[in-house]
Amino acid sequence: MLFPAGPAAQGIATLWWWMFWGGAAIFALMLALFLWLLLRPAAGQGIPARWWIVGGGLVFPLPVLAALTGAALWLGEGTLGGTAPTRIEAEARMWQWQFRYPDGSATTDVLHLPAGRDVEIVVTSPDVIHSFWIPRLGGKIDAIPGHANRIVLRADAPGEYGGVCAEYCGTGHVDMSFTAVAEADWGRE
Amino acid sequence: MRRLALLIAGFVIWSAAFLAVYALQATGCAIGMEAGLLRGLLILCVAVGVAAGAVPLWLARRGGVLGQSATIAAAAAMASTLLTLSGVFWLGPC
Amino acid sequence: MTPIRRHKELDRIWRTAPGWGRLAAVNHTVIGKRFMLTALVFFAIGGLLAMLIRIQLASRQSEFMEPGTYAQVFTMHGTIMMFLFAIPFFEGLAMYLLPKMLGARDMAFPRLSAYGYWCYLFGGSILIAALLMGAAPDAGWFMYAPLSSATYSPGINADIWLLGITFVEISALSAAVEMLVSILMLRAGGMSLDRMPIFGWYMLVVAGMMLVGFPPLILGSLLLEAERAFGLPFFDPTRGGDPLLWQHLFWLFGHPEVYIIFLPAAGVLSTIIPVFSRHRLVGYRAIVAAIVAMGFLSFGLWVHHMYATGIPHLSLSFFSIASALVAVPTAVQIFSWLATMAAGRPRFSIPMLHVFGFMFVFVCGGLSGVMLAMVPFDLQAHDTHFVVAHMHYVLVGGFVFPMMAAAYYWLPHMTGRQPVQHLSHAAFWTIFAGFNLTFLGMHLTGLLGMTRRVHSYDDPWWEVLNFISSMGGFVTTIGFALLALDLILLMLFGRPFRRDPWRAGTLEWAMPTPPPSYAFASIPMGDADGPSLAAGKGLLATPRGEMETLGVDPLTGRPEQIVILPKPTFLPLLTALATGGVFLSLLFKLYLLAPVFAVAVVALFLRWTAAMPAPAVLDAGQGLMLPNHRAARLPPSLLAMRFIIAADGAAFASLVFGAGFLAISAPGWPPADWPGFGWPAWVAVAGALAALALPGRALMPQVVTVAGFAAILWHMEGVQDHAAPASLAALATWGAVHAGIGAVLAGWAAGQEDKRLSVQWQRYAALVTVVAATFPLLLRLLAEGAA
């Protein structure tokens, strides 16, 4: 996800870098406060207790968390639960992936995508729980037997992207990887 | 024991509101309830939860160290009800 | 009476006999230490497994372990650390400390402590034996169905997890009930709740969380075992079940569990930091509110392990916001500690070094936790090594470092010796450096896309990061070895000291160290210090041949009764052995033997009640005449029964929720033909109503209810074909078992003057019957509405 290749992954990467720098700053601040108080006894005696608890426990975290959660939900509302006219069915089974396209064709362990266009991938499983994940394009979606889950992804440029099963599904779990090939002229409609 | 109950009352109401909203939303989506109606019911649920949270806050207003803890907990619970369930106001219901 | 003579007489009453007598021990000091020591043995085994994992991952395409073995190793590492190390360890610490901090001579139900310990030891041993025989569970420590179902895990492996862990959880539930009652009732005279040491508050909330957090897991395990053993398809989507039900039940326990582990550690920090800051804890009231808030909020996060399961975004938002919000009470506590340090004059010592370790590691883990609470980011990081790193930062930072601080702080109390500090610094820095070396880079490994639970990988960059992690892992292990050596040296060669080396001021230091078997020579009343207690200036200073401790009003701490505790006995061991018999016969599918052992368990438990003292009013000293617990208004057992009913209610609610969830969410509903209970349901309800009307003479009514449910189960068809009849059969079985217990209790109470214990159960069981018997109607409404 550090090398995003689609809008969903791009949004997540932006969120990550904000959280990373913010988190690093908060971590440094907390540690500095602790060490300051420990190594300089009596340094903080001028600050009333209420300030510490109300300031550090409420005034500081609440707005930060509200802003972050609001932004993340806004981002999620845009990427989750969307639909796209182009639909590919992905069936995960122990331990391979089968993809079926609108024109009726099917491939195993290779997913052909149209580049630069939203595709909706419908993920199902006939046996145990698997999880569909192309790290550079976006988040995961579980393949749960008895349910059909959807995810909308887009590859901005043609190219090959690695995909894996992210949920442990038995001894063949590691081998259950696939390649997503984004093509400029897709022709499977 | 009543004062001990008061300490957790706010968050018991939070739990009830949380479960009620989650169950209502899941059931509403499963039976294909109309989106506007579902959102209205969910908002009503949250409103009832927040309003009910005022009761322990009012009851806890007097009485010692435990009363003060209960006041903080009840206020926190009331705010939590509103915050955790705030998605019903602006996110798509299903 | 001189202090020496008082000591001799009290010790004669309270001590655990040597030799075989040790197996009869019920004393909280002995049992608490056993819990901790056993947990450390399991920690070592879990750590060894972690090293195996790190060897496997140190290089690409490693041939060290094959996938099946590797699966057993990572499953057992997680299972051992969570269920056999973290929880039992703090239970042991709490058992050891709580009575001493609160001014009591023992926990409220010493035999229950012992029974819990044996269940823990036997259940844990089953798991380790399976590991040695290569038949350990291998579906991951959260055992997702259907991978763990009979179709995809046909061997005994998954049964070992489900039954072994349920066996161990008996000890968690018994500890929860015991801690709740002990904290609320067994304290020093005049110690009101709002003046109780803060550790007591932490454990009170933790025990409450355990009471409602563990039952969903136990219920889930029973349902999955019923599916595996008898084909009741609760989690099989081809027959009306739903794999998501397992995830809900598991995480409904699994998330609070993390806070159940963190809060005792936070309680330790809230106790230690003020001592080394030379200032009382600042923000006591805010902390109490924060603990309560955390206790509840932590239950509202369970779905944040399930963001990728296709749940609507709005539902995810509730859990996402709650996950972020739980950072607030955490921040309140951390800033209260900082405020305490600011107000006092902190001094540096080994426990504070570990507090620093906590600050560094836990804050880091907390921040990555807030990141993971954000839905879009979690969809990327979920099931990768980022989560593995986060979880270790939280659990090691939030539990292991505080427990090491606790070890250096309270080991002098257990041994009577003070640290000499040769290896302490080296051990700390080795662990600290090794830990960060292992897990800091692992965040990056995860972000680059390495999923968890893989035994091999291709990317050369991942190999660099993994190799660093593996080296860090070995450094950490060396650090723990140094720590162990340091603590052993402390025990052998530490400097002996007189009371209270830390100038702590809490009651556990107001006794000689190592602590005598009876803890307090006399029970503190109001302000008390060690010498005056030894001189008998507290309550119950005159030994009467019985194990006596003080029972107080839960809120005000006013002395209310003298609780007479049971003497050491082999009954807990025998009962645990019989309980083990039940589990082993289920494990090896000897289903005819299981009821025999179950009857033995019931018979043995009834035997526990044989040696009760007669109701009496006794002299407590200082001019106080108090009833013994048999004559008291609210004896500890009655309060315990209420908590047991609460725990049972949580399991029952989970069952009802589970059935409703399947009706709404699972594929293949409604079933082709609807199962009904028919007329026997009315028989069951009639019995329940009679039991409600005459709870004091409920034997016959409950027998009628059992007969009603038995008739229902007899006529039930198709339980293996669809989850609907299976759920209803589960409800009917639940009702039958509860009415059956009601009948046994009613029979027992017939010979007793005080029938309140039985009456409470009869009312609850009747309620269960009414709900269970009428639930088919509701289920049908739900299912047809959803269709």
Side-chain angles (χ1 to χ4, degrees), chain A residues 1-3 8-9 11-12 15-16 19-24 26-31 33-35 37-58 60-62 65 68-81 94 126-129 131 133-147 149-151 164-175, chain C residues 67-68 71 74-75 138-140 142 144-147 152 237-238 242-244 247 273 282-283 286 306-314 316-317 320-321 324-329 331-332 334-339 341-348 352 355-357 359-361 363-364 367 370-372 374-384 386 444 446-457 665-667:
Chain A
M1 67 158 272
L2 298 178
F3 309 103
I12 296 171
L15 178 67
W16 152 251
M19 291 195 299
F20 174 73
W21 291 113
I26 295 172
F27 175 70
L29 177 77
M30 295 297 297
L31 218 63
L33 273 177
F34 179 78
L35 289 176
L37 291 173
L38 188 64
L39 302 176
R40 290 276 170 84
Q45 273 179 344
I47 308 169
R50 188 175 286 263
W51 283 32
W52 284 102
I53 298 172
V54 175
L58 293 176
F60 174 59
L62 268 179
L65 289 171
L68 176 63
T69 316
L73 287 174
W74 182 75
L75 180 68
E77 190 72 355
T79 46
L80 267 76
M94 293 161 105
D127 42 46
V128 303
I129 298 176
S131 189
W133 188 33
I134 307 172
R136 291 189 59 199
L137 296 190
K140 311 178 175 62
I141 190 78
D142 289 353
I144 300 171
H147 294 265
N149 282 331
R150 297 172 304 129
I151 187 169
V164 291
C165 170
E167 184 68 61
Y168 182 72
C169 56
T171 47
H173 172 58
V174 179
D175 307 318
Chain C
F74 71 68
T75 302
D138 54 1
F142 36 76
Y144 275 2
L147 184 60
Y152 302 103
T238 62
D242 194 340
L244 283 180
Q247 297 196 11
I273 291 176
V282 169
M306 300 165 62
Y307 284 165
T309 55
I311 292 174
H313 189 231
L314 176 59
L316 297 185
S317 83
S320 177
I321 299 173
L325 213 54
V326 80
V328 174
V332 167
I334 291 182
F335 276 92
S336 297
W337 298 330
L338 290 178
M341 289 169 62
R345 295 184 61 82
R347 63 191 145 123
F348 207 77
M352 275 313 256
V355 174
F356 162 76
M359 267 303 213
F360 187 99
V361 174
V363 169
C364 197
L367 289 167
V370 171
M371 295 176 188
L372 286 172
M374 303 300 126
V375 179
F377 177 74
D378 180 74
L379 290 178
Q380 269 287 358
H382 179 61
D383 271 335
T384 69
F386 187 92
L444 184 58
L447 290 179
L448 288 174
M450 182 164 168
T451 49
R452 63 200 281 200
R453 296 175 176 174
V454 293
H455 65 275
S456 71
Y457 48 89
S665 156

Side-chain angles (χ1 to χ4, degrees), chain A residues 52-126:
Chain A
W52 284 102
I53 298 172
V54 175
L58 293 176
V59 177
F60 174 59
L62 268 179
V64 173
L65 289 171
L68 176 63
T69 316
L73 287 174
W74 182 75
L75 180 68
E77 190 72 355
T79 46
L80 267 76
T83 54
T86 315
R87 178 184 283 215
I88 299 173
E89 287 171 25
E91 192 187 64
R93 56 169 66 231
M94 293 161 105
W95 290 282
Q96 53 170 294
W97 294 90
Q98 190 153 56
F99 302 102
R100 265 191 293 277
Y101 304 92
D103 66 350
S105 60
T107 53
T108 301
D109 287 345
V110 180
L111 167 64
H112 296 278
L113 295 167
R117 183 141 62 102
D118 279 353
V119 258
E120 180 177 321
I121 294 159
V122 183
V123 185
T124 54
S125 161

Side-chain angles (χ1 to χ4, degrees), chain C residues 141-233:
Chain C
W141 79 273
F142 36 76
M143 293 292 286
Y144 275 2
L147 184 60
S148 55
S149 67
T151 320
Y152 302 103
S153 295
I156 199 173
N157 312 50
D159 301 312
I160 289 187
W161 194 96
L162 295 167
L163 294 169
I165 292 298
T166 303
F167 195 9
V168 171
E169 291 331 327
I170 293 177
S171 76
L173 277 181
S174 59
V177 171
E178 186 162 50
M179 287 195 284
L180 282 166
V181 176
S182 303
I183 296 169
L184 287 174
M185 296 189 81
L186 302 194
R187 301 199 301 264
M191 184 191 277
S192 59
L193 262 192
D194 51 19
R195 284 178 36 194
M196 177 166 76
I198 195 73
F199 186 74
W201 273 107
Y202 276 97
M203 293 319 297
L204 187 63
V205 171
V206 167
M209 291 170 72
M210 289 166 75
L211 200 66
V212 284
F214 278 93
L217 173 71
I218 294 176
L219 180 87
S221 301
L222 294 178
L223 294 184
L224 185 51
E225 186 55 30
E227 174 176 316
R228 291 178 55 85
F230 308 117
L232 274 59

Side-chain angles (χ1 to χ4, degrees), chain C residues 676-760:
Chain C
F677 280 174
W679 60 267
W682 297 110
V683 176
V685 170
L689 293 179
L692 266 183
L694 295 168
R697 276 168 289 170
L699 179 58
M700 275 324 285
Q702 294 293 21
V703 170
V704 170
T705 303
V706 172
F709 280 121
I712 289 173
L713 288 167
W714 185 259
H715 289 295
M716 200 73 140
E717 279 174 3
V719 289
Q720 296 176 330
D721 303 330
H722 196 277
S727 314
L728 295 184
L731 276 159
T733 309
W734 195 270
V737 168
H738 284 68
I741 296 174
V744 172
L745 272 178
W748 167 79
Q752 306 284 326
E753 189 133 330
D754 184 354
K755 298 188 197 308
R756 288 180 293 175
L757 269 184
S758 162
V759 164
Q760 283 199 349

Side-chain angles (χ1 to χ4, degrees), chain C residues 585-612:
Chain C
S585 37
L586 291 177
L587 192 58
F588 293 110
K589 309 207 178 299
L590 306 167
Y591 296 119
L592 291 176
L593 208 54
V596 178
F597 280 113
V599 169
V601 172
V602 173
L604 281 164
F605 268 124
L606 289 178
R607 187 85 188 93
W608 286 34
T609 62
M612 288 192 293

